[in-house]
Amino acid sequence: MENYDYVIVGAGSAGCVLANKLGEGKKHKILVLEAGPMDYNLMIHIPAGVYKAYRNPKINWNYSTENEPELFDRNVPMPRGKVVGGSSSINSMVYMRGHPLDYDRWQTECGLKEWSYDQCLPYFKEGENSDRGEDQWRGGSGNLGVTKGSFDNPLFDALEEAGRQSGQGYSEDLNGFNPEGIARLDATRKHGRRCSAAGAYLRPALARGNITLLTKAQVMKINITGNSVNGVSFKHKGKLHSVKANKEVILSGGAINSPHLLMLSGVGPSKHLQKHGIEIHADLPGVGQNLQDHSCVILQYACKKSFPIHKVNQPHRKLATGIRWVFTRKGIATSNIWEAGGLIKSSPNIAYPDIQYHFGPVGLEYNDDKISLLQAFSIHVDHLRPRSRGQVTLKSANPLEKPLMAFNYFQDSEDLADMVNGFKKARELISQPAFDEFRGVELIPGPQVQSEADIEQFIRDAAETDYHPSCTCAMGGGEMAVVDDQMKVHGIKNLRVVDASVMPQIISGNLNAPTQMIAARAADMILGKEQLSPIKATFAFDV
């Protein structure tokens, strides 16, 4: 194998952005290693195919948590994208940046002086091509296609009106002036297709000719001599290969795979590594620790009125919907389903929203691998700022064996209390007059669940992930920090981690957009470019 300037491990949300930006000007030779296949599966590209995509074991790492004590010792499935584009190829496409105060907290509470929202906003704008048009909050000429939900369904209108009636509020744009209330959400979608990181960033980068992408190439180890990285070893087509990085190796495997690979390579908690007979190159106790995620419960209601989406899985309708999408990129298939939602506070005495809704105008029922659509509507309730912390650890020193992961959902009792409040707020929202003509019986959990104890039991019995693992290679300078504020691994030269694992605290929203922003900033840092000038935008909470 040849030498490369940069070796990027993982072609997911961060890796695709890095490849594009580091490869500009064709000055550098770059290798991108992706453990999964190319993103040829049609269900990846049809927005409404999201459930087929994320449940497809061929493009998924198919992870699962250990027994979660506060969830009655259940194992929680943890899908992660194992395909070009990573989880941006199998997610629900919601484009959410998180609250500006999240980033300001990184600056004040985590000592990250260069990571306030003012400093991140220009990178969000630079990457975005929003159909809302460019303004002080939004970008209009970036790589990533972002479209506001436009699927016409009266249930979305009812949700917005219920926001006003309930006092939970309304926002024209949760990524804009007012990041609180009920709103139509944005999706990473363009011309009726999913706009993954691969489509937005990697494909244009590959066309330049200075980037090599190898798929089905699983990295087994980072090659470290003393305290300096010189390349990686990976398995491809049954053979072990080594490749040299003249400048840097950049890990972009995500919050599970990046700490896993660091530990396999001798970077992590020394006692844990010694237990598995791994030679230690850097004793970093924070590797794999500080694991955070958004827990989620789903409420489902029968719908008194039938809409076309409720019948779309009937064979003839499904065929017609697919044909229409293929030839026109229009119709129900262009919808990512979760086109509306909101950000609200679980109680009035907190600074900014800690509960997120995702609302869909259909009910879903799973029987093994078969998905049935119901004449119903659904609302996800996500807890955005958990106090509980988990960890990713080694099961063995075998790189092909999955790591262990424990999220410890609701280990802190206040997390459960917040989720109970969020659950009640969702019920309050759906009980508003705006839903009277649509709202049938509550199917999940059902009207029998009323007392505080009943609600707590339902949440513990039904809670699952909202697919946002993060924070396991946290930025900072403290004892548990893994990387510095430029994402260089402490104590190891020529090695960075750039993905959702470097967040010191989880963002209050979906993580795809923040991860791409982090990667765009990292690319400028790696190239020694000046960061884009901060933008001081106006927000409702400042007025």
Side-chain angles (χ1 to χ4, degrees), residues 281-301:
H281 291 281
D283 178 14
L284 290 180
V287 174
Q289 302 299 304
N290 194 42
L291 177 60
Q292 297 170 47
D293 186 24
H294 296 143
S295 58
C296 165
V297 292
I298 304 170
L299 286 74
Q300 198 158 273
Y301 292 81

Side-chain angles (χ1 to χ4, degrees), residues 15 40 59 75 89 97 116 125 128 143-144 154 161 172 200 208 247 322 331 358 363 374 419 427 452 463 509:
Y40 294 141
I59 53 174
N75 306 111
S89 288
R97 296 174 178 176
S116 70
K125 288 187 64 175
E128 182 187 32
N143 286 61
L144 187 70
E161 184 57 29
E172 179 59 33
R208 297 188 196 121
K247 293 180 180 289
H358 294 92
L374 308 177
M419 186 62 106
R427 269 187 168 171
E452 198 91 357

Side-chain angles (χ1 to χ4, degrees), residues 9-26:
V9 180
S13 295
C16 291
V17 174
L18 285 168
N20 187 294
K21 294 201 69 171
L22 294 178
E24 285 174 352
K26 302 185 183 180

Side-chain angles (χ1 to χ4, degrees), residues 38-50 52-53 56 59 83 89 93 192-194 321-323 325-327 329 333:
M38 280 300 292
D39 57 344
Y40 294 141
N41 187 301
L42 184 62
M43 288 300 121
I44 288 173
H45 304 288
I46 303 175
V50 56
K52 289 281 189 184
N56 184 343
I59 53 174
V83 61
S89 288
M93 289 162 272
R193 287 170 58 100
R194 176 193 291 272
T321 300
I323 290 171
W325 183 86
V326 167
F327 287 104
R329 299 291 189 264

Side-chain angles (χ1 to χ4, degrees), residues 25-308:
K26 302 185 183 180
K27 291 178 184 176
H28 300 111
K29 198 173 168 187
I30 298 166
L31 175 65
V32 182
L33 297 169
E34 168 55 45
M38 280 300 292
D39 57 344
Y40 294 141
N41 187 301
L42 184 62
M43 288 300 121
I44 288 173
H45 304 288
I46 303 175
V50 56
Y51 282 93
K52 289 281 189 184
Y54 99 88
R55 292 169 71 87
N56 184 343
K58 293 178 181 176
I59 53 174
N60 196 323
W61 284 96
N62 302 302
Y63 288 134
S64 179
T65 72
E66 296 302 290
N67 294 348
E68 291 287 342
E70 296 303 317
L71 304 187
F72 302 118
D73 285 329
R74 287 187 292 120
N75 306 111
V76 177
M78 189 64 55
R80 308 306 302 149
K82 188 180 182 180
V83 61
V84 169
S87 293
S88 79
S89 288
I90 68 167
N91 68 5
S92 290
M93 289 162 272
V94 175
Y95 178 89
M96 188 78 75
R97 296 174 178 176
H99 199 282
L101 294 179
D102 287 325
Y103 301 92
D104 293 350
R105 284 176 66 219
W106 285 9
Q107 186 185 54
T108 57
E109 296 178 16
C110 306
L112 297 171
K113 294 179 183 177
E114 305 299 317
W115 285 90
S116 70
Y117 192 71
D118 294 358
Q119 292 157 307
C120 295
L121 180 54
Y123 284 91
F124 279 121
K125 288 187 64 175
E126 181 194 53
E128 182 187 32
N129 187 342
S130 173
D131 69 345
R132 295 173 187 258
E134 183 158 4
D135 56 26
Q136 62 174 306
W137 304 278
R138 293 296 199 145
S141 56
N143 286 61
L144 187 70
V146 176
T147 59
K148 181 180 178 180
S150 59
F151 179 52
D152 187 21
N153 188 293
L155 289 166
F156 289 135
D157 302 326
L159 185 79
E160 289 182 3
E161 184 57 29
R164 296 184 181 94
Q165 292 171 348
S166 65
Q168 293 184 27
Y170 168 76
S171 173
E172 179 59 33
D173 182 2
L174 290 171
N175 292 305
F177 172 70
N178 182 21
E180 183 171 357
I182 305 301
R184 288 301 289 258
L185 303 178
D186 291 299
T188 50
R189 179 178 48 206
K190 190 173 183 179
H191 304 315
R193 287 170 58 100
R194 176 193 291 272
C195 189
S196 69
Y201 288 97
L202 187 58
R203 278 195 167 76
L206 291 171
R208 297 188 196 121
N210 61 320
I211 294 171
T212 300
L213 169 66
L214 274 187
T215 57
K216 299 183 181 178
Q218 184 161 347
V219 176
M220 313 294 275
K221 191 179 181 184
I222 307 158
N223 297 328
I224 306 174
T225 303
N227 68 341
S228 182
V229 167
N230 52 50
V232 300
S233 296
F234 62 94
K235 205 164 192 178
H236 186 243
K237 295 185 176 177
K239 292 181 179 178
L240 193 64
H241 303 271
S242 287
V243 64
K244 190 175 180 186
N246 297 326
K247 293 180 180 289
E248 291 189 19
V249 169
I250 307 161
L251 302 191
S252 297
I256 295 167
N257 290 338
S258 285
H260 186 220
L261 186 56
L262 283 175
M263 288 186 283
L264 289 168
S265 307
V267 179
S270 58
K271 286 183 181 175
H272 181 58
L273 303 189
Q274 283 167 350
K275 179 182 161 188
H276 292 285
I278 294 170
E279 181 188 354
I280 296 160
H281 291 281
D283 178 14
L284 290 180
V287 174
Q289 302 299 304
N290 194 42
L291 177 60
Q292 297 170 47
D293 186 24
H294 296 143
S295 58
C296 165
V297 292
I298 304 170
L299 286 74
Q300 198 158 273
Y301 292 81
C303 188
K304 292 178 185 175
K305 294 187 176 180
S306 175
F307 299 110

Side-chain angles (χ1 to χ4, degrees), residues 463-478:
E464 52 192 52
T465 176
D466 204 39
Y467 318 109
H468 300 151
S470 52
C471 307
T472 49
C473 298
M475 277 193 286

